[in-house]
Amino acid sequence: MSTVVVGSANLDLVYRVDRIPSPGETVLARSADAVAGGKGNNQAVAAARAGAAVTFVVALGSDTAGDRLAAEARATGATVLDRRVDAPTGTALITVDPAGENSIVVDSGANALLTGLRPDEREALAAADVLLLQLETPLETVVEAATQARAAGALVVLNAAPVRDLPAELLERVDILVVNEHEAALLAPETVTPGEAAAALAADGRSVVLTLGGAGCLVVPFGAEPVSVPAHRVAVVDTTGAGDTFCGAFAAELDRAGGRTAIKSDRSASLAAAARFATAAAALSVQRPGAVPSIPTLEEIRAFVADRS
Ligand code: RIB
């Protein structure tokens, strides 16, 4: 069992505000904090806390933020292949309103220099059962990692966030695409509804998980009927990193089930089971503030699932 995450890490500067400022507006924060974040980092931590043996490939600056992010990721038990590059560690400026909704601005910094996979990173990919990717690092590296891992027989999961046009050479190597409604609409512009977009994207052997926030998610296995997975009703404190928690837990559960082998034997059942597990993990994360600090452990997820069944 081995899950590799190739992706970004940011130091999140989080401001809790009464409302997210409009253009030209200044608002005073109720509190400010700096916590570990970044889509790749959040997903790597989520997969590790959910029980996967994780290797995280990341670019960080040679600064205190980089040291902190690497140390916190290692504290989960993950192997962190952190290259230190000539740029500051990525940062994100996040405002969170009382309903837990946020707005995020990312300065990529070191993440933009995660290019050209190195021998130790290629070795990790060659041994991966599951590869989990997002789009906060250069696209060429995402394509390279997907190509390497797929050639070695890994199951490739892509969370297309932040969304951008995806080249065919990437899409054809992706086994499972995880998108929200906005991302699905942009990737399948010829469609009208989110369900139609997910169905259109579930092509060429690729399955899709359409995340729907407080409404759960829709699993669209390639060649099979969609399965709806409801969300859990919880009190929302902060949605930052909830999607990443979903992706990391989803990848960990698929890895535990056997990765590509599980998908081959019963695609619908294994995808739906992993989505249910991931939905529980995300429900726990939205009840706590921050990205990495909100991500639950395997024990917490299992206790929550037992309590809700
Ligand atoms: O998905 C949430 C993440 O997006 C934050 O942690 C922030 O760093 C941005 O990458």
Side-chain angles (χ1 to χ4, degrees):
M1 185 173 160
S2 162
T3 297
V4 175
V5 180
V6 178
S8 60
N10 297 325
L11 187 67
D12 288 353
L13 309 171
V14 185
Y15 297 85
R16 293 207 75 104
V17 292
D18 287 339
R19 66 176 180 286
I20 293 169
S22 303
E25 187 182 16
T26 300
V27 298
L28 298 182
R30 292 200 168 271
S31 67
D33 207 356
V35 301
K39 294 188 192 305
N41 190 31
N42 298 339
Q43 295 184 13
V45 168
R49 288 197 182 143
V54 169
T55 298
F56 180 33
V57 175
V58 62
L60 300 168
S62 300
D63 46 28
T64 52
D67 294 346
R68 175 179 168 180
L69 295 178
E72 287 194 27
R74 285 198 175 96
T76 65
T79 298
V80 180
L81 301 181
D82 55 326
R83 44 166 102 176
R84 299 306 179 106
V85 297
D86 190 16
T89 293
T91 54
L93 174 63
I94 303 180
T95 52
V96 182
D97 74 11
E101 293 300 333
N102 62 37
S103 74
I104 304 180
V105 178
V106 173
D107 176 29
S108 297
N111 297 306
L113 299 184
L114 185 64
T115 52
L117 291 170
R118 298 177 178 182
D120 57 340
E121 298 164 348
R122 286 171 172 266
E123 210 175 292
L125 287 165
D129 294 302
V130 175
L131 171 65
L132 177 57
L133 298 160
Q134 337 68 38
L135 299 174
E136 266 186 347
T137 48
L139 196 55
E140 67 195 75
T141 310
V142 175
V143 174
E144 191 182 354
T147 305
Q148 290 281 318
R150 188 67 192 264
L155 186 73
V156 178
V157 182
L158 171 66
N159 173 216
V163 70
R164 61 171 96 165
D165 284 341
L166 299 179
E169 60 176 337
L170 175 58
L171 268 179
E172 68 196 15
R173 291 172 171 106
V174 170
D175 295 291
I176 304 163
L177 183 66
V178 182
V179 282
N180 64 23
E181 294 167 86
H182 165 70
E183 292 151 0
L186 278 163
L187 291 173
E190 71 286 0
T191 60
V192 177
T193 67
E196 285 172 11
L201 292 166
D204 305 324
R206 184 175 53 250
S207 299
V208 171
V209 178
L210 177 70
T211 57
L212 300 165
C217 69
L218 185 72
V219 177
V220 188
F222 174 70
E225 286 301 306
V227 182
S228 187
V229 175
H232 298 276
R233 281 183 178 276
V234 293
V236 176
V237 169
D238 183 356
T239 56
T240 310
D244 300 327
T245 300
F246 180 97
C247 291
F250 180 72
E253 190 67 359
L254 282 176
D255 194 354
R256 196 164 18 248
R260 180 168 292 285
T261 313
I263 295 295
K264 269 190 187 151
S265 69
D266 191 340
R267 185 178 281 125
S268 285
S270 50
L271 290 180
R276 281 188 202 99
F277 178 81
T279 299
L284 283 163
S285 85
V286 299
Q287 296 178 69
R288 304 166 180 161
V292 161
S294 72
I295 297 170
T297 62
L298 180 59
E299 292 68 31
E300 289 175 317
I301 300 167
R302 286 189 169 156
F304 180 83
V305 169
D307 188 48
R308 296 276 172 145
S309 18

